[in-house]
Amino acid sequence: MTPLAITNNGMWGVALIIGLLAALIVAGLLVVLVRAVTDIDNSVRSLLDVAGKVAGNTANIPQLQATAPVLGQIVDEAVVQDGYMNALTDGYGGVPA
């Protein structure tokens, strides 16, 4: 009998040990996978909360298009108001304009 000779029962024992190790490795990898999925789920939940807030903050952006046509009127009115303010403050406090 050679030193490497293994009986039929010995081969079953080796196969069972290899199967047990493989099962433990798979179980460990499943635990890692479940933790990763849980972390991803938590990240997605927080991302959805933030996305809702961003959507609320940007909901009024289309209304800004209505501002462009009246910008010229706003500038014209600002020039008129500046003229009024200059007229009120010219010579105020004895300082010539």
Side-chain angles (χ1 to χ4, degrees):
M1 193 163 163
T2 63
L4 295 177
I6 298 177
T7 63
N8 196 21
N9 288 341
M11 291 297 269
W12 274 105
V14 170
L16 287 175
I17 290 173
I18 291 173
L20 179 63
L21 289 175
L24 290 174
I25 290 171
V26 168
L29 290 174
L30 284 174
V31 167
V32 170
L33 178 64
V34 167
R35 285 183 183 169
V37 169
T38 303
D39 288 343
I40 291 170
D41 188 43
N42 292 336
S43 297
V44 168
R45 287 180 196 274
S46 65
L47 180 63
L48 287 176
D49 292 340
V50 171
K53 292 175 184 175
V54 169
N57 289 339
T58 58
N60 297 324
I61 288 178
Q63 295 176 353
L64 291 174
Q65 292 176 344
T67 306
V70 296
L71 285 178
Q73 295 172 354
I74 293 171
V75 170
D76 292 342
E77 183 63 26
V79 169
V80 169
Q81 294 299 321
D82 185 52
Y84 290 151
M85 293 306 292
N86 286 338
L88 290 173
T89 57
D90 284 346
Y92 179 73
V95 178

